[in-house]
C-alpha cells in the first residue's frame, strides 16, 4: 500500500492541464466517491494495526495533495476563460471616435485673433447684456440717434437702460475705463439686433472690435495696421481702399473695402462687378469718447475698427446665406474640417 500511495503522489504531482474536460476526468479518477483515493481509504481497514498511523498520515497527505492540485487548476482555468470572453483581443488597434469639426466662424475668429496678436493686440471681452452708457452714450450717440430705436435694439422691457449689446464697440469703452494707454486690444463677441432674418442679415451675429490708444497714434497707423490684416487674412496680393463714412464714435470715419478675393478685382457677381468688397468700419477715436472713458484727449489719440465675422467668413468661403451658420447642418459644418 505504501508503494501505491507513493506512486499516486507522483502521478498527482505530475498532473497538469488547461482543459476542463481533462480536469473532470482527473477528479473522477482520483477524488470522486468511486475514485482511487476514497477506495484506498476503504482498504485502510485491512492494514495491520502497527502500520495504521503511518498509513493514515500518508493517505491524508495524498488526499490533500490531490485536492489542492484540483483547486489550483480549476481556478487557473476559470481566470483564463473570463479573460478571453470579456476583454476580447487586447492586441487589436484602437478604433478612434471621430471628432467633430470646428465651426467656420470659430476658425475665422481664431485667425483674426492670431493675426492681431502677432502685432501686440491683446483679447478683451465684455458683457452681452449692456447698459445704455457703454453701448451708446459713452460712444457719443446723441440721445435721439436712430440706432437707439426699438427697431434695432433689443431692450429689456422693465428697464430701458439695459439692452443686448448691438455692437462690440461697447467693449472699447470698458477697456478704456479700466486701463491706461498704451492700449492695443481686440474684442471678439456676439451682438444682437432686432432685424428680420434673411440670407444677408440675422438678429444674432459676431463682431471683432479693435482699439489702439497711445500718444501720437495717427490715421497712417490705422491704414497700415488694416493693410497688414487684410493681406494676412485674404492673401498677400490683397489691396485696400478707404471711403469716408460716418460713425458717432470716430472722427474722421471710414469704411474699408478689399479688392475682391474671388475675382482678384476684375469684377464678378460677389463684388457686383466693382472689384471691391466692404469688410469693416474704422476711424480715429472721437476725442469725446476718450474723455467719456477717462482718457485725456489732449494727451492721447487712438484708432478703432469693427468688423462682422459672418461677413468675412462668407467672403472667405463663398457662403451665400448667413442662416447656414446657425442651423448646425452637419453636411455644411463638415466641409470646414480641412481648414482646422
Ligand atoms: N460698431 C460699428 C457697427 O457695429 C462698427 C465699427 C465702425 C466699429 C467703426 C468701430 C469703428 O470701432 O471705428 O457697425
Amino acid at each position: 500500500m505504501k508503494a501505491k500511495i507513493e506512486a499516486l503522489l507522483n502521478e498527482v504531482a505530475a498532473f497538469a492541464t488547461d482543459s476542463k474536460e481533462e480536469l473532470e476526468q482527473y477528479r473522477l479518477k482520483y477524488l470522486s466517491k468511486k475514485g482511487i483515493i476514497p477506495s484506498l481509504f476503504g482498504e485502510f481497514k485491512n492494514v495491520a494495526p502497527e502500520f495504521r498511523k503511518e498509513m493514515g498520515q500518508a493517505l491524508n497527505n495524498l488526499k490533500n495533495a490531490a485536492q489542492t492540485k484540483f483547486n489550483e487548476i480549476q481556478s487557473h482555468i476559470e481566470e483564463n476563460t473570463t479573460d478571453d470572453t470579456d476583454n476580447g483581443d487586447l492586441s487589436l488597434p484602437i478604433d478612434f471616435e471621430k471628432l467633430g469639426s470646428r465651426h467656420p466662424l470659430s476658425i475665422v475668429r481664431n485667425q483674426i485673433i492670431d493675426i492681431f496678436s502677432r502685432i501686440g493686440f491683446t483679447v478683451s471681452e465684455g458683457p452681452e447684456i449692456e447698459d445704455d452708457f457703454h453701448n451708446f452714450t459713452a460712444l457719443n450717440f446723441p440721445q435721439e440717434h436712430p440706432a437707439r430705436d426699438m427697431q434695432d435694439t433689443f431692450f429689456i422691457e422693465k428697464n430701458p437702460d439695459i439692452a443686448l449689446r448691438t455692437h462690440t464697440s461697447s467693449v472699447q469703452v470698458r477697456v478704456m475705463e479700466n486701463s491706461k494707454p498704451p492700449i492695443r486690444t481686440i474684442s471678439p463677441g456676439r451682438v444682437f439686433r432686432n432685424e428680420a432674418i434673411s440670407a444677408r442679415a440675422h438678429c444674432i451675429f459676431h463682431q471683432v472690435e479693435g482699439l489702439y490708444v497711445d500718444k501720437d497714434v495717427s490715421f497712417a497707423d490705422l491704414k497700415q495696421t488694416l493693410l497688414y490684416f487684410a493681406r494676412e487674412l485674404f492673401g498677400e496680393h490683397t489691396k485696400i481702399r478707404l471711403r469716408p463714412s460716418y460713425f458717432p464714435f470716430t472722427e474722421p470715419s471710414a469704411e474699408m473695402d478689399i479688392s475682391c478675393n474671388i475675382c482678384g478685382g476684375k469684377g464678378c457677381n460677389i463684388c457686383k462687378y466693382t472689384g471691391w468688397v466692404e469688410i469693416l468700419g474704422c476711424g480715429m477715436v472721437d476725442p469725446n469718447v476718450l474723455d467719456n472713458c477717462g482718457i485725456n484727449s489732449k494727451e492721447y489719440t487712438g484708432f478703432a475698427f469693427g468688423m462682422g465675422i459672418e461677413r468675412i467668413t462668407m467672403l472667405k468661403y463663398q457662403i451665400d446665406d448667413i442662416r447656414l451658420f446657425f442651423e448646425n447642418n452637419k453636411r455644411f459644418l463638415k466641409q470646414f474640417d480641412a481648414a482646422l
Side-chain angles (χ1 to χ4, degrees):
M1 189 165 188
K2 199 178 168 191
K4 234 185 195 174
I5 291 175
E6 252 163 40
L8 286 168
L9 258 180
N10 287 338
E11 271 180 41
V12 164
F15 179 74
T17 183
D18 279 337
S19 123
K20 263 186 173 174
E21 289 75 33
E22 279 177 25
L23 183 66
E24 177 59 7
Q25 269 158 23
Y26 165 92
R27 191 189 67 80
L28 288 171
K29 181 173 173 189
Y30 298 102
L31 293 166
S32 69
K33 263 188 193 159
K34 288 179 186 161
I36 298 172
I37 295 171
S39 70
L40 278 180
F41 275 95
E43 288 172 29
F44 188 64
K45 58 182 182 297
N46 304 329
V47 174
E50 64 268 35
F51 296 122
R52 281 210 178 150
K53 194 176 170 203
E54 192 192 346
M55 282 302 119
Q57 273 175 359
L59 259 180
N60 274 329
N61 196 14
L62 171 64
K63 188 186 152 196
N64 289 341
Q67 187 64 49
T68 309
K69 182 70 147 203
F70 174 84
N71 294 348
E72 277 171 12
I73 295 181
Q74 188 180 45
S75 51
H76 185 246
I77 290 177
E78 268 168 17
E79 271 171 27
N80 287 344
T81 334
T82 29
D83 269 9
D84 277 357
T85 47
D86 287 355
N87 296 339
D89 182 351
L90 296 177
S91 65
L92 282 176
I94 297 169
D95 195 7
F96 283 108
E97 282 297 317
K98 183 136 177 31
L99 290 176
S101 50
R102 218 179 288 285
H103 195 283
L105 294 178
S106 300
I107 293 171
V108 171
R109 183 201 52 210
N110 291 346
Q111 284 173 349
I112 296 172
I113 292 174
D114 186 54
I115 291 169
F116 281 105
S117 70
R118 276 185 258 138
I119 51 169
F121 280 72
T122 59
V123 173
S124 45
E125 285 182 348
E128 292 178 353
I129 301 171
E130 259 303 2
D131 52 41
D132 181 277
F133 178 76
H134 291 93
N135 197 77
F136 295 124
T137 303
L139 289 165
N140 213 26
F141 278 83
Q143 207 56 42
E144 67 291 351
H145 194 280
R148 292 176 181 235
D149 199 295
M150 289 296 277
Q151 291 192 348
D152 286 312
T153 310
F154 288 114
F155 286 99
I156 306 298
E157 227 169 53
K158 290 202 175 117
N159 185 352
D161 189 46
I162 306 289
L164 297 179
R165 68 180 176 196
T166 58
H167 52 183
T168 44
S169 302
S170 57
V171 186
Q172 57 160 283
V173 176
R174 289 186 176 271
V175 171
M176 286 192 276
E177 279 176 333
N178 295 317
S179 44
K180 288 198 173 75
I183 296 169
R184 251 177 275 152
T185 191
I186 54 167
S187 319
R190 196 155 52 159
V191 300
F192 308 83
R193 285 195 199 166
N194 195 356
E195 282 191 37
I197 296 171
S198 70
R200 304 251 113 220
H202 212 287
C203 56
I204 301 176
F205 56 101
H206 299 80
Q207 289 186 332
V208 178
E209 181 81 11
L211 176 70
Y212 185 4
V213 182
D214 202 351
K215 288 185 172 144
D216 302 324
V217 175
S218 69
F219 201 90
D221 296 326
L222 169 63
K223 223 173 135 179
Q224 191 59 34
T225 303
L226 294 179
L227 177 63
Y228 155 78
F229 164 69
R231 286 187 173 163
E232 289 295 309
L233 192 64
F234 288 101
E236 57 180 337
H237 300 298
T238 309
K239 295 191 195 72
I240 63 166
R241 80 175 180 188
L242 293 166
R243 286 176 290 103
S245 184
Y246 173 78
F247 299 101
F249 35 89
T250 42
E251 182 60 36
S253 303
E255 274 167 320
M256 186 177 95
D257 299 338
I258 57 165
S259 51
C260 179
N261 62 314
I262 307 302
C263 62
K266 287 192 198 81
C268 67
N269 62 343
I270 300 288
C271 61
K272 303 198 187 81
Y273 300 95
T274 63
W276 297 94
V277 282
E278 185 208 315
I279 65 159
L280 55 79
C282 60
M284 300 306 291
V285 181
D286 192 299
N288 287 343
V289 175
L290 292 173
D291 292 331
N292 288 343
C293 302
I295 289 179
N296 186 351
S297 62
K298 304 239 158 35
E299 204 179 337
Y300 294 102
T301 52
F303 67 68
F305 54 87
M307 64 189 98
I309 304 182
E310 276 78 359
R311 181 165 172 75
I312 289 182
T313 309
M314 288 166 84
L315 279 173
K316 256 198 102 143
Y317 295 113
Q318 296 173 53
I319 297 164
D320 60 6
D321 193 326
I322 197 172
R323 291 169 291 198
L324 287 165
F325 292 125
F326 304 98
E327 283 165 2
N328 283 335
N329 180 326
K330 276 169 100 178
R331 279 165 54 226
F332 170 72
L333 295 176
K334 242 175 34 193
Q335 300 175 65
F336 303 92
D337 264 1
L340 267 177

